[in-house]
Amino acid sequence: MRIAVCPGSFDPVTKGHIDIIERASKLFDKVIVLVSFNSGKKASTVFTVEERMDFILRVTKHLENVVVDCNAGLLADYLKSTGACAIVKGLRAVSDFEYEFQMALANKKLYPEAETVFLTTSTENMYLSSSVVKEIASLGGDISGFVDWEILSDINKRLFNSG
Ligand code: PNS
C-alpha cells in the first residue's frame, strides 16, 4: 500500500489545502493528513490541535482513503513509523519554493526512503493561506470563498473580533 502524508499547521484548513488533499487521494492508496508542529508558528496558532483535526475530518469525510492524525515530533520519524513513501505539499508561488525545498532536502536526509511530491496549487487558490483567512475573518470579512461551508460558522465564531 502506497501511503502519503500531507503535513501542515492547518490553522485552519482552507479550500487550498482541501484541493491538494483531494488530488493526493487520487495518487496514493492512503493519505494521512498530519497536523504537525511548526516551531516558527508556535506562538501564533489560533486553533488547538484537536480543533484543527476536527475541521479536517469534517471537510474530508467524502474521501474514503484519507485519515487525520497529529504529530508533535519530527515528520521523518512519523514517516518511518507509518511506512509512508511520500510527503505531499502544495506549492502556491515561487515564494513558497525556497522554504519547501529546504524542508524537502532535510526530510530526504533524515529519511531517504520517502520522496517529497509537490502539487502546484489551483489558480483560484494561489493567494490563499490560513493567515489570510484568519485576518479577514477577524475583521468581519467574508471567508466563505476560502473555507468549506461545513466549518465556516465555527471559524467565524472563533475569529470575529479576535484580532
Ligand atoms: O503548514 P506549514 O506550517 O507550512 O507546515 C510546516 C510543517 C508543519 C509541515 C513543518 O514545520 C514540519 O514538518 N514540522 C514537523 C517537525 C519537523 O519535522 N521539522 C523539520 C522539517 S524539515
Side-chain angles (χ1 to χ4, degrees):
M1 182 186 274
R2 303 191 75 74
I3 303 172
V5 173
C6 279
S9 302
F10 303 108
D11 186 49
V13 64
T14 67
K15 285 189 177 179
H17 294 129
I18 299 169
D19 172 51
I20 297 295
I21 296 164
E22 281 174 344
R23 287 158 58 200
S25 78
K26 291 180 190 148
L27 297 173
F28 294 92
D29 299 316
K30 178 178 171 182
V31 173
I32 305 172
V33 183
L34 191 68
V35 175
S36 305
F37 178 74
N38 179 338
S39 54
K41 295 182 180 170
K42 189 170 64 171
S44 61
T45 46
V46 169
F47 297 98
T48 65
V49 169
E50 290 72 24
E51 286 172 320
R52 287 181 262 160
M53 289 177 70
D54 174 62
F55 290 158
I56 299 166
L57 268 175
R58 285 158 60 190
V59 301
T60 60
K61 58 179 186 288
H62 59 297
L63 302 169
E64 279 180 8
N65 61 340
V66 171
V67 299
V68 184
D69 199 3
C70 64
N71 181 44
L74 272 179
L75 178 59
D77 292 339
Y78 185 88
L79 296 167
K80 196 174 185 177
S81 70
T82 52
C85 64
I87 303 161
V88 176
K89 298 280 298 194
L91 272 189
R92 283 166 304 191
V94 182
S95 53
D96 282 346
F97 186 75
E98 196 172 332
Y99 170 66
E100 294 294 347
F101 192 59
Q102 194 180 17
M103 281 200 294
L105 291 178
N107 283 320
K108 186 75 181 163
K109 185 82 181 164
L110 292 169
Y111 186 58
E113 285 80 359
E115 300 292 340
T116 298
V117 176
F118 292 116
L119 298 181
T120 46
T121 194
S122 308
T123 45
E124 63 267 33
N125 296 321
M126 286 281 285
Y127 58 92
L128 190 50
S129 71
S130 300
S131 310
V132 164
V133 167
K134 283 184 279 193
E135 175 143 341
I136 295 172
S138 70
L139 297 170
D142 178 10
I143 55 163
S144 60
F146 312 144
V147 301
D148 194 285
W149 66 269
E150 168 72 35
I151 57 173
L152 180 62
S153 68
D154 285 344
I155 292 175
N156 271 327
K157 265 187 240 155
R158 260 303 275 290
L159 291 174
F160 184 48
N161 274 340
S162 68

